[in-house]
Amino acid sequence: MRDIQIDRSEMAPSILPADVPELSDDECLACLARAVEAPDSARLDEVAALIGRLAVAIE
């Protein structure tokens, strides 16, 4: 019987938010600090994505 290779990387969704660029934890925390420094409702999605990015790293 032949071995069949299956690429499973497409099957599982990533737990990292897709709209956050590759940042180190320190860079992400600095971006979050700047985003919440001056409250702006237009940046809520960015703040949520950064918090989600940090929460994944903590788990």
Side-chain angles (χ1 to χ4, degrees):
M1 182 177 245
R2 292 178 42 200
D3 289 336
I4 300 173
Q5 289 186 331
I6 300 172
D7 181 12
R8 295 187 189 270
S9 64
E10 297 292 325
M11 299 173 127
S14 173
I15 59 172
L16 293 174
D19 54 347
V20 177
E22 293 289 324
L23 299 172
S24 71
D25 291 344
D26 291 336
E27 291 171 325
C28 187
L29 192 56
C31 287
L32 180 59
R34 285 191 301 270
V36 298
E37 195 171 51
D40 181 3
S41 61
R43 297 184 81 177
L44 290 178
D45 288 338
E46 177 187 1
V47 170
L50 290 166
I51 291 171
R53 156 62 178 80
L54 288 169
V56 170
I58 291 170
E59 292 180 338

